[in-house]
Amino acid sequence: MAGASDKARFYLEQSIPELQELERKKIFTKEEISTIAKKRSDFEHTLNARGSHPSDYARYAEFETNLEALRRKRVKRLGVKASGYSGQKRIFFILSRATRKFHGDVGLWMQYIEFARKEKAYKRLSEILTSVLRLHPTKPELWIYAARYSMETQADITNARSYMQRGLRFCKNSKLLWLEYGKLEMIYIAKISERSRILGLHSYRPEEKRDEDHHSDMITLPDITAEDVNPSLTKDDAVDEVALQNLASAPVLTGAIPVAIFDAAMKQFENDSKVAEQFFNIFAEFGSLPCIQNILEHVVEHLQTSPNTVIAVVCSFRKPLIGVDQNSPNFPRALGLSLDSLNSSLQRYPNIKGEIASLAIRWMLPIARTGEGIDPNIKKVLSSSLRKLCFDLEDIERGASKNAGDAVAGVVETLRRERRVEDAKHLAKISLKWWSSNERLLETQSSLVQ
């Protein structure tokens, strides 16, 4: 115990000059300095005694963080010259001690990482990430965090890809990691597409060459040269048409990399259609990209070879409308393609017609409900299609229910559970026109209005 007290005293003595300066400059009063010293003494004795816990370090770091924030505010308000002592350095020291002692506690590591990021101590943050990933290589969320940090804060896609690919070496069975890798590449395409739109105002960062020796077992990505992402400009800063053509056909903008990731994931998960659907949903979030239809078409083609026909059908009839604005002149044609695909699927797969109809209703509702500015004829088509789907669902489910409207009421209840309240209200409202005496529909609508 004497050893613990000596160690605590050693750390406390190091902070005495700092406290004396804070009192001398009247940043803190004498009473406040005594309180700070006592709190630090309590923390240090707890930390250096046997039986300390990660939460003790976390509370100590939180105390010092709040103290440093207060010190900075008072220094700014009083106009006092900043001292040579750094509260940031003390907090880093506490968190470093914490992670050395409890290196298995990911929560402490994340507190350390978040503090470094908040303080913009990027060099220290890189060192922390290297340490935590070395100790916890099988935790996919850490690889994802590191990749996002490289992409969002450092704007370094090469390093972000490196984190993802290294993570997949250790967590090859993590669906989350594969999906996030696909999303990362889609975000990168979105950034590059936007830059190409304003070409001449911004320049692209050329990517560094990958080290083939260290990544021989990684996913093989299409080669991307500096010219692919950094088209040359003429001397008067006008857009070089040849460079633009090269950029448009570059793998980074054609979606070749997300497709390669998808194919590798399908190989890893033995063509799991649910994973493919998750990739489809992630890719669909980037509907404005020029290459999105090519990427989605690749996923749909893969799903069509899957035994899970329902997912393939849903993705097929969703695809044409992804990225198409309802007020766009392309919307009628895209809607026609979607409805044609849906109707042909309903005829082709009578054994799963009920599932398809139910999912199609849930897909069509937001389009039919928010139709401001849409041509009245298109609205009529949407309403008619939605009505037909509801009646098809009722006909299919009639054997399992004695009351007309129960099948659609089930869809309304599903929408409510999914917290799609407006869609549930709309479906309940129009369904009561057809099955006005259905008790489930009446009860559900009443609960949605409250």
Side-chain angles (χ1 to χ4, degrees):
M1 194 68 186
S5 297
D6 291 341
K7 191 180 290 186
R9 190 178 301 111
F10 171 75
Y11 288 132
L12 291 168
E13 287 174 354
Q14 290 183 323
S15 69
I16 291 175
E18 172 199 358
L19 295 176
Q20 289 175 338
E21 182 174 344
L22 291 171
E23 183 180 357
R24 186 174 66 254
K25 292 184 175 182
K26 298 182 179 179
I27 296 172
F28 291 108
T29 64
K30 186 175 182 179
E31 291 75 15
E32 288 173 328
I33 293 296
S34 297
T35 302
I36 293 169
K38 186 179 184 309
K39 288 287 290 183
R40 284 179 175 174
S41 176
D42 292 342
F43 277 122
E44 287 294 346
H45 280 87
T46 300
L47 265 51
N48 290 285
R50 289 184 179 180
S52 60
H53 296 87
S55 58
D56 298 324
Y57 284 92
R59 286 197 300 271
Y60 192 9
E62 185 180 3
F63 166 75
E64 290 293 346
T65 301
N66 294 335
L67 180 63
E68 175 63 10
L70 179 60
R71 185 194 68 82
R72 288 178 181 178
K73 286 182 179 179
R74 290 192 178 181
V75 165
K76 184 177 180 180
R77 177 167 55 84
L78 297 172
V80 180
K81 185 178 178 181
S83 65
Y85 299 97
S86 172
Q88 181 195 78
K89 186 177 180 181
R90 168 177 284 277
I91 298 164
F92 273 132
F93 180 57
I94 294 168
L95 292 171
S96 177
R97 289 163 61 192
T99 50
R100 282 200 306 269
K101 185 170 184 178
F102 299 102
H103 51 77
D105 192 297
V106 177
L108 279 177
W109 281 105
M110 290 309 301
Q111 186 177 359
Y112 197 5
I113 288 168
E114 289 296 343
F115 178 74
R117 191 168 186 173
K118 181 182 176 183
E119 294 295 310
K120 298 182 179 180
Y122 297 131
K123 184 177 179 181
R124 174 68 70 90
L125 181 51
S126 296
E127 294 172 356
I128 299 169
L129 287 172
T130 299
S131 299
V132 70
L133 290 171
R134 187 180 295 121
L135 289 166
H136 300 281
T138 59
K139 294 191 180 297
E141 59 273 14
L142 293 177
W143 293 105
I144 292 168
Y145 184 99
R148 284 179 178 171
Y149 160 73
S150 294
M151 183 71 170
E152 296 170 3
T153 306
Q154 301 298 307
D156 189 346
I157 183 61
T158 303
N159 203 30
R161 281 180 182 146
S162 175
Y163 278 125
M164 284 294 188
Q165 295 231 356
R166 284 158 55 202
L168 287 172
R169 294 172 68 183
F170 293 99
C171 314
K172 61 182 180 180
N173 292 321
S174 170
K175 294 176 184 178
L176 177 63
L177 190 56
W178 283 99
L179 293 167
E180 287 294 330
Y181 190 11
K183 186 173 184 178
L184 179 86
E185 291 295 348
M186 294 301 289
I187 292 172
Y188 182 56
I189 294 174
K191 289 179 180 291
I192 295 299
S193 296
E194 178 61 18
R195 288 181 180 181
S196 68
R197 189 180 66 82
I198 51 174
L199 193 62
L201 300 177
H202 298 278
S203 61
Y204 300 113
R205 285 185 64 189
E207 293 189 22
E208 298 175 4
K209 190 178 184 299
R210 295 191 299 276
D211 186 343
E212 299 296 339
D213 294 335
H214 289 286
H215 303 286
S216 58
D217 58 344
M218 298 297 187
I219 300 170
T220 303
L221 301 180
D223 291 331
I224 302 174
T225 64
E227 289 76 13
D228 290 333
V229 292
N230 191 14
S232 59
L233 302 176
T234 58
K235 291 181 181 180
D236 61 353
D237 288 339
V239 176
D240 186 336
E241 294 297 330
V242 175
L244 277 176
Q245 292 174 5
N246 292 337
L247 179 64
S249 60
V252 70
L253 284 183
T254 59
I257 296 177
V259 165
I261 294 168
F262 172 79
D263 288 342
M266 289 299 96
K267 184 178 179 181
Q268 175 63 35
F269 296 108
E270 300 179 347
N271 299 319
D272 188 331
S273 57
K274 291 185 178 179
V275 176
E277 183 185 29
Q278 289 176 302
F279 268 104
F280 184 94
N281 291 334
I282 286 175
F283 294 155
E285 293 175 10
F286 300 86
S288 61
L289 297 182
C291 62
I292 189 61
Q293 286 297 325
N294 292 334
I295 297 174
L296 295 178
E297 181 63 31
H298 182 83
V299 178
V300 169
E301 286 178 359
H302 179 88
L303 280 167
Q304 287 171 349
T305 64
S306 167
N308 195 329
T309 312
V310 174
I311 291 177
V313 168
V314 171
C315 291
S316 294
F317 67 66
R318 284 180 55 199
K319 184 181 77 68
L321 278 173
I322 290 174
V324 181
D325 187 84
Q326 292 184 354
N327 298 318
S328 166
N330 297 324
F331 181 76
R333 180 176 179 274
L335 179 62
L337 291 172
S338 288
L339 293 177
D340 287 345
S341 175
L342 173 59
N343 292 329
S344 63
S345 297
L346 288 169
Q347 294 175 6
R348 191 182 307 139
Y349 306 110
N351 57 321
I352 54 171
K353 190 175 179 180
E355 288 184 76
I356 296 173
S358 177
L359 291 168
I361 291 169
R362 289 155 62 189
W363 161 75
M364 191 178 292
L365 272 168
I367 306 172
R369 182 174 58 82
T370 58
E372 295 181 5
I374 296 181
D375 185 275
N377 292 324
I378 297 177
K379 279 188 177 183
K380 187 175 180 181
V381 170
L382 286 168
S383 298
S384 176
S385 299
L386 190 57
R387 182 180 184 277
K388 182 180 182 299
L389 286 169
C390 289
F391 276 88
D392 283 348
L393 182 61
E394 283 298 321
D395 289 340
I396 295 164
E397 300 293 334
R398 186 63 55 84
S401 173
K402 295 180 180 179
N403 300 316
D406 275 1
V408 175
V411 178
V412 176
E413 290 166 358
T414 299
L415 289 167
R416 184 179 62 178
R417 287 195 297 271
E418 293 174 350
R419 297 183 180 180
R420 293 172 55 181
V421 178
E422 295 304 318
D423 289 335
K425 286 180 179 178
H426 183 75
L427 182 58
K429 181 180 177 181
I430 62 175
S431 298
L432 282 169
K433 295 178 182 179
W434 311 319
W435 303 288
S436 57
S437 60
N438 185 278
E439 293 182 2
R440 286 180 65 184
L441 281 172
L442 289 168
E443 289 175 3
T444 306
Q445 186 188 47
S446 177
S447 65
L448 288 168
V449 172
Q450 292 176 358

